[in-house]
Amino acid sequence: MSKSTLVSTTVNGDAVEFACPTDESLMTALRDRVGLTGVKEGCGTGDCGACSISLDGRLVCSCIVLGVEAEGRTIETVEGLSQNGDLHPLQQNFIDHAALQCGICTPGFLVAAKALLDRNPNPNESEIRYALAGNLCRCTGYDKIVRAVQATAKDMRKKGRS
Amino acid sequence: MAHDNSYVDKKFNVVGTRFNRPDGIDKVTGKARYGADASAPGQLVGKVLRSPHAHAQILKINTSKAEKLQGVKSVITFQDLPDLTGGDQGMADILENCMARGRALYDGHAVAAVAAVDEQTAAKALKLIDVKYKKLPHVTDVDEAMLPTAPVIHDRIFTRGVEPKPTKPSNISSRTEMGNGDVDAGFAQADVIIEHSFKTEQTHQGYIEPHACLASVNPDGTSELWVTTQGHFVFRNVCAGLLGLDIAKLKVTSSEIGGGFGGKTHVWVEPIALALSRKANRPVKMVMSRDEVFRATGPTSSTSIDVKLGAKKNGQITAAVAELRYQGGAFPGNWAMLACMTAFACYDIKNNKSIGWDVLVNRPKVAAYRAPSAPMAAFAVESAMDMLAKELRMKAIDVRLKNVAREGTLAPYGPTYGPIGIEDTLKAVKAHPHMRAKLKPNQGRGVACGFWFNIGGQTSTDLNIGVDGTVNLAVGTVDVGGSRSSLAMIAAEELGIDYEDVKANIADTTSLGHNDMTEGSRGTFSSGMATIYAAREAIEVLKQRAAITWGIPVEDVAWEAGHAVATGKGHGNLPKLSLREIAAKSGRTGGPIAGHNEVTADGAGMGFASHICDVEVDPETGRSTIVRYTVVQDAGKAINPDYVEGQFQGGATQGIGWALNEEYIYGADGRLQNPGFLDYRIPVCSDLPFIDTKILEIPNPSHPYGVRGVGETSIVPPLAAVANAIANAAGVRMGHAPMSPPRVLAALDAMENAG
Ligand code: FES
Ligand code: FES
């Protein structure tokens, strides 16, 4: 067994410590050591976006970040999206718009879409498509995913105004 | 109990409406557990050593160093998987594909495997296994593999379907011929003849979830397998057969499945995981890397196809011939045969002939990919249809309508069609506003048709009513695209209760009778049929219980809108009993209330579609962009329209990826050069417009609700729809898919040079 390093992070608002070998990806550490299997592995090479997380507010593929690089940093995963027992509007709209079939890509899309809406609450279709271009979905043809994000942006803007 | 499967026209309450899926919340919160998301106490990590050669003899495998590494708990080679197949060549092929037996047949073929305490140790152990190879000549191209000079992959293979029987082995495993009429006479009547050759490259299903499983075998043979699969019952039977386990003692649970499209109908690492676990007496988890998924699971065939069409001036096709060469990887398949069955299925052509050649090459064993074999044949035939239309100076859609198959048409593969939807899809296309929308410079529009069967098969379903009147529906067909919600809707419809009161689950192999794979668009079709019958049996029980409660003969009880109603003379004033009321009393009226059904569903309906594609071709780069796309398909009856649309859109997108980018690229060394999502490029969100859909409903006469399979046909037309659009946009006829920028640019240059 290779030697492990202790890593202290904040994950979905909680202080979390884990020990992992220095060559282990953050994706594997989150899945196997922290138990957050909502972080999905589709490729392990940064090409599919299934492992998308937010690291200090930045959208990253956790499979090409090392676990030890997370030291002292703040991580958000799909598991942290719903708050106080309520689904995040993105989660609800993904269900309502049938934006998932198999659902393996869904956690990554939700995290990526949230990152988009956080910085641009009113994206047009092409901004949505480019913001999600790093996430592969093989089931849906993206149609209903884009619609779910459009609907969420609209809902959240309405709510923001009221 | 015998059940009538004929279609009955009726008004639905639940079916055909839009409901959220029961697994939605788990999937948007990260709670859903897929193949790689399970773990067991003391579990090991399994990894596979794979051949770096396209074709090589394995002279020696030395595993002793790996075995001695601290943390390694088991190492296996083919010797740990003795051949128990007893002359069943199909099973022997599966076994050999799971682990090479003396010869590596393709780049990525498994050679040995280890299980160790963690990933790092397992990876280290693989490096310590010493394999001595002797490279052998290889062939990866389908046409080259058919040459008499090609290296022969299996000397046991003599072409089937040719007379006299060949005396020498070859890579051609079989020749198939089918069709109707006399094609020579048909061509003699033709005013115009079109002949063209086509090639399509190998593509992969590209499901985002890699194969993954968790296996545990006890010394007494009781075992468990958690696995991402399209058919856990079939996996159970195959794995039990390969490992010599008792079927009843191997419990297989299907995880949530992160996409399959046919690729998860075959076992790859599962028998290896079981063998590693058996040797170590510890649970073993295996997750394939993306590289392994590309190199060593089952992509679809690459092909080479010739088409010849003859027609009268009025557009009537007098004869059609296709010769279809499909490679199935390093083991024999029947992919060309399927191609023969589908090639001309959209048309009523009196004289037609399809000749199929199934060919072996040094590539991974081909598996089904959504409407397997049909997209390539449609690429060739539907491209040729447009070429014919051009020659005849007719509209492409009118040539199709002139020759379209109808009820009563003799299908090229034998049966006479019942009511089918191809003509309606073409008419809907013709009337669609998309067809009249203005095109910009460098843009072109293409239309193409497609056909796929749908299969029935063995299905077993249980329906159990709880004391509070809510219902558990246990089905055995894996939910690959939202079928749990469709099946719950069907149960609610039959019982006359709310959708929310039914919970559909996928049962493990110890809890239900055998179910075939979810393939051939059968999930909702056949489990739907079994659900209808199981619900009807439960209704019989509910009626009996009401009769007991009332003390009247059961003949005097009817079931209406979720209630038992007394109908006979003198019972008029008995208040009706709801399902909930009957369920609450079930303990006192005879015990739990349930319905079961085991069926081999027949009468699956044919699925037809027509697509419209607008493409813009950049003359500088040869890059083609899809600017608008419309799918029109007959669903028979759309149980849950949201998910039917989703199937149409997803299939069309896969077809577009195949048309424009996706391909396996093999080097001269026979090794796959692009086994990753960076170089094997599937469509991304920014590549596409919204995919418009139109669902037609021409009921399938052999299903109580008129359902046809909807999952597959949508991948069939896009290759040709895109090719026809490119031809209309840029004036070049692309005969080689994918029509990637370099290929289109080369065609544009050739056209320019030809002046
Ligand atoms: S798993 Fe990280 S990008 Fe694919
Ligand atoms: S829903 Fe299956 S990959 Fe996106």
Side-chain angles (χ1 to χ4, degrees):
Chain A
M1 272 186 64
S2 8
K3 260 184 96 181
S4 288
T5 304
L6 194 64
V7 182
S8 308
T9 60
T10 305
V11 180
N12 298 326
D14 298 323
V16 169
E17 282 194 345
F18 58 86
C20 74
T22 47
D23 60 353
E24 183 170 287
S25 73
L26 180 55
M27 172 190 75
T28 303
L30 287 172
R31 285 179 53 80
D32 294 356
R33 302 186 194 276
V34 187
L36 297 177
T37 52
V39 179
K40 297 298 176 201
E41 173 170 12
C43 67
T45 50
D47 300 316
C48 79
C51 63
S52 298
I53 60 161
S54 152
L55 186 62
D56 282 349
R58 223 180 108 211
L59 179 67
V60 296
C61 293
S62 60
C63 70
I64 47 171
V65 177
L66 291 171
V68 291
E69 287 181 88
E71 171 62 34
R73 301 171 78 174
T74 300
I75 292 166
E76 277 165 64
T77 70
V78 70
E79 286 91 345
L81 267 185
S82 93
Q83 300 271 320
N84 311 323
D86 290 331
L87 291 182
H88 186 278
L90 272 169
Q91 292 174 311
Q92 191 60 52
N93 274 309
F94 265 58
I95 297 177
D96 293 347
H97 286 80
L100 54 141
Q101 283 177 31
C102 80
I104 193 85
C105 67
T106 309
F109 270 99
L110 289 167
V111 171
K114 177 162 184 298
L116 166 69
L117 297 181
D118 283 350
R119 71 180 142 72
N120 178 1
N122 190 11
N124 62 28
E125 184 198 332
S126 129
E127 285 167 336
I128 294 173
R129 288 190 179 274
Y130 278 92
L132 301 180
N135 292 74
L136 299 180
C137 173
R138 192 56 157 173
C139 299
T140 64
Y142 306 102
D143 186 292
K144 293 180 190 299
I145 293 177
V146 175
R147 289 182 202 278
V149 176
Q150 285 177 325
T152 309
K154 213 168 142 198
D155 290 355
M156 290 178 71
R157 286 200 308 276
K158 250 197 236 150
K159 231 170 120 199
R161 272 201 301 273
S162 62
Chain B
M1 196 189 291
H3 293 279
D4 181 8
N5 71 343
S6 25
Y7 170 67
V8 182
D9 191 10
K10 64 170 184 173
K11 237 186 89 47
F12 292 105
N13 293 313
V14 183
V15 164
T17 58
R18 295 173 192 250
F19 276 108
N20 286 339
R21 57 197 289 160
D23 51 332
I25 292 182
D26 281 349
K27 286 184 173 170
V28 299
T29 53
K31 280 185 262 188
R33 289 163 78 234
Y34 293 82
D37 297 337
S39 46
Q43 97 188 5
L44 305 171
V45 175
K47 272 190 177 299
V48 175
L49 184 70
R50 297 183 180 279
S51 166
H53 304 299
H55 193 189
Q57 204 176 330
I58 300 167
L59 301 173
K60 209 169 150 205
I61 309 177
N62 187 344
T63 57
S64 58
K65 275 196 198 136
E67 280 158 24
K68 283 189 203 113
L69 183 70
Q70 193 189 9
V72 171
K73 302 296 173 188
S74 59
V75 182
I76 63 163
T77 66
F78 71 94
Q79 278 161 333
D80 298 277
L81 285 162
D83 186 350
L84 309 173
T85 60
D88 179 337
Q89 191 57 52
M91 282 290 273
D93 286 350
I94 295 174
L95 181 69
E96 185 174 7
N97 188 44
C98 284
M99 182 87 60
R101 307 181 85 76
R103 224 157 29 103
L105 299 172
Y106 54 90
D107 167 38
H109 198 171
V111 170
V114 303
V117 288
D118 60 25
E119 175 104 27
Q120 283 84 358
T121 310
K124 215 189 236 172
L126 287 188
K127 294 210 177 101
L128 294 174
I129 298 176
D130 186 20
V131 186
K132 293 253 175 312
Y133 294 100
K134 182 175 159 238
K135 278 210 252 176
L136 299 170
H138 65 269
V139 60
T140 55
D141 179 81
V142 61
D143 289 321
E144 285 170 22
M146 291 176 75
L147 298 174
T149 49
V152 172
I153 296 170
H154 292 289
D155 55 15
R156 62 181 165 79
I157 291 196
F158 295 78
T159 313
R160 279 184 291 116
V162 288
E163 284 298 333
K165 187 175 183 290
T167 51
K168 275 203 205 136
S170 76
N171 294 323
I172 305 170
S173 60
S174 64
R175 178 187 186 277
T176 314
E177 184 177 323
M178 62 184 76
N180 306 309
D182 177 345
V183 291
D184 293 333
F187 282 119
Q189 292 162 19
D191 298 318
V192 172
I193 289 180
I194 289 287
E195 261 190 287
H196 204 79
S197 296
F198 300 86
K199 258 188 119 92
T200 66
E201 293 301 331
Q202 186 157 36
T203 57
H204 194 276
Q205 299 84 352
Y207 32 81
I208 305 301
E209 179 201 31
H211 299 262
C213 67
L214 175 60
S216 181
V217 181
N218 287 330
D220 65 357
T222 54
S223 356
E224 291 193 21
L225 181 67
W226 161 275
V227 60
T228 175
T229 171
Q230 287 175 250
H232 46 312
F233 290 88
V234 177
F235 270 38
R236 171 191 65 175
N237 294 1
V238 171
C239 288
L242 294 181
L243 281 113
L245 301 167
D246 290 338
I247 282 181
K249 289 188 196 151
L250 172 57
K251 172 180 170 184
V252 183
T253 308
S254 73
S255 70
E256 291 295 341
I257 174 172
F261 317 111
K264 289 177 183 161
T265 58
H266 298 242
V267 297
W268 315 103
V269 291
E270 296 79 8
I272 296 179
L274 287 162
L276 283 169
S277 169
R278 174 163 66 184
K279 198 163 178 181
N281 191 17
R282 297 258 296 258
V284 173
K285 180 166 168 177
M286 295 188 82
V287 181
M288 270 186 156
S289 69
R290 182 54 54 181
D291 172 279
E292 289 180 289
V293 172
F294 276 113
R295 286 166 68 210
T297 64
T300 190
S301 310
S302 55
T303 74
S304 144
I305 303 171
D306 308 323
V307 177
K308 185 174 171 188
L309 299 176
K312 295 249 198 233
K313 283 206 189 81
N314 68 359
Q316 178 89 45
I317 298 176
T318 55
V321 173
E323 190 149 350
L324 307 117
R325 296 167 289 269
Y326 280 52
Q327 60 85 1
F331 297 92
N334 58 1
W335 308 109
M337 186 192 77
L338 280 172
C340 289
M341 295 172 79
T342 63
F344 297 115
C346 292
Y347 301 106
D348 184 358
I349 301 172
K350 213 166 126 213
N351 308 300
N352 66 79
K353 182 157 91 177
S354 300
I355 299 166
W357 299 93
D358 273 298
V359 182
L360 282 80
V361 297
N362 294 108
R363 295 194 188 206
K365 182 176 178 295
V366 161
Y369 178 17
R370 205 169 197 154
S373 300
M376 309 78 138
F379 172 58
V381 170
E382 291 293 301
S383 293
M385 288 297 285
D386 262 43
M387 296 167 75
L388 180 68
K390 197 172 168 205
E391 194 70 25
L392 292 166
R393 293 173 198 282
M394 283 178 73
K395 282 201 177 132
I397 190 136
D398 291 334
V399 176
R400 289 181 170 84
L401 275 165
K402 176 103 192 151
N403 295 285
V404 75
R406 298 190 169 91
E407 182 167 2
T409 296
L410 179 62
Y413 62 96
T416 301
Y417 288 133
I420 53 170
I422 180 65
E423 185 173 17
D424 302 75
T425 65
L426 276 168
K427 284 185 174 157
V429 159
K430 200 171 173 179
H432 200 286
H434 184 168
M435 288 300 275
R436 293 186 300 277
K438 260 222 150 65
L439 291 163
K440 298 202 182 112
N442 296 322
Q443 295 186 349
R445 177 167 300 142
V447 168
C449 301
F451 159 81
W452 185 246
F453 322 84
N454 103 239
I455 62 173
Q458 301 180 70
T459 307
S460 167
T461 296
D462 266 6
L463 186 149
N464 288 292
I465 301 179
V467 285
D468 63 353
T470 59
V471 173
N472 271 136
L473 182 66
V475 299
T477 48
V478 172
D479 180 355
V480 295
S483 64
R484 266 169 297 193
S485 116
S486 309
L487 296 171
M489 288 167 78
I490 290 174
E493 183 76 49
E494 283 295 319
L495 295 169
I497 59 177
D498 291 342
Y499 168 75
E500 287 74 18
D501 287 342
V502 182
K503 175 85 170 81
N505 297 299
I506 312 300
D508 67 60
T509 58
T510 60
S511 316
L512 209 57
H514 176 83
N515 281 264
D516 288 337
M517 284 283 165
T518 303
E519 64 182 352
S521 303
R522 70 179 286 276
T524 300
F525 172 80
S526 55
S527 273
M529 197 181 273
T531 299
I532 291 171
Y533 299 156
R536 289 181 183 173
E537 297 209 343
I539 288 171
E540 288 311 310
V541 181
L542 287 160
K543 279 160 54 181
Q544 282 161 10
R545 301 303 173 82
I548 292 169
T549 307
W550 284 324
I552 66 173
V554 68
E555 296 75 47
D556 291 350
V557 182
W559 191 258
E560 281 166 18
H563 292 77
V565 188
T567 55
K569 250 205 228 123
H571 313 319
N573 52 359
L574 288 169
K576 57 187 183 178
L577 284 171
S578 69
L579 181 143
R580 202 172 281 252
E581 289 165 322
I582 301 170
K585 287 204 198 111
S586 58
R588 276 168 281 145
T589 55
I593 300 174
H596 309 277
N597 186 253
E598 286 81 38
V599 67
T600 298
D602 304 318
M606 289 93 188
F608 288 92
S610 300
H611 291 192
I612 318 169
C613 170
D614 292 358
V615 82
E616 181 168 322
V617 180
D618 180 349
E620 306 275 303
T621 63
R623 184 194 153 113
S624 308
T625 308
I626 308 293
V627 290
R628 185 167 176 184
Y629 203 96
T630 303
V631 176
V632 182
Q633 186 175 323
D634 171 22
K637 172 75 202 168
I639 302 286
N640 186 344
D642 275 337
Y643 287 93
V644 172
E645 288 168 10
Q647 290 293 323
F648 290 4
Q649 292 163 335
T653 300
Q654 287 181 320
I656 289 169
W658 195 342
L660 292 180
N661 278 307
E662 295 177 35
E663 67 178 301
Y664 269 40
I665 299 169
Y666 276 89
D669 59 359
R671 300 190 62 186
L672 183 60
Q673 296 184 334
N674 58 337
F677 277 138
L678 189 61
D679 298 316
Y680 181 96
R681 193 178 183 288
I682 73 171
V684 302
C685 198
S686 54
D687 291 338
L688 294 166
F690 286 117
I691 309 285
D692 225 345
T693 57
K694 191 170 171 59
I695 303 173
L696 303 186
E697 295 187 324
I698 294 117
N700 171 10
S702 308
H703 188 284
Y705 291 1
V707 168
R708 299 174 192 268
V710 297
E712 297 178 277
T713 308
S714 50
I715 199 177
V716 182
L719 278 81
V722 171
N724 292 339
I726 290 177
N728 293 330
V732 288
R733 170 55 57 189
M734 300 302 300
H736 192 168
M739 296 159 271
S740 52
R743 285 203 185 102
V744 172
L745 202 56
L748 290 170
D749 287 348
M751 182 173 69
E752 199 161 300
N753 293 338

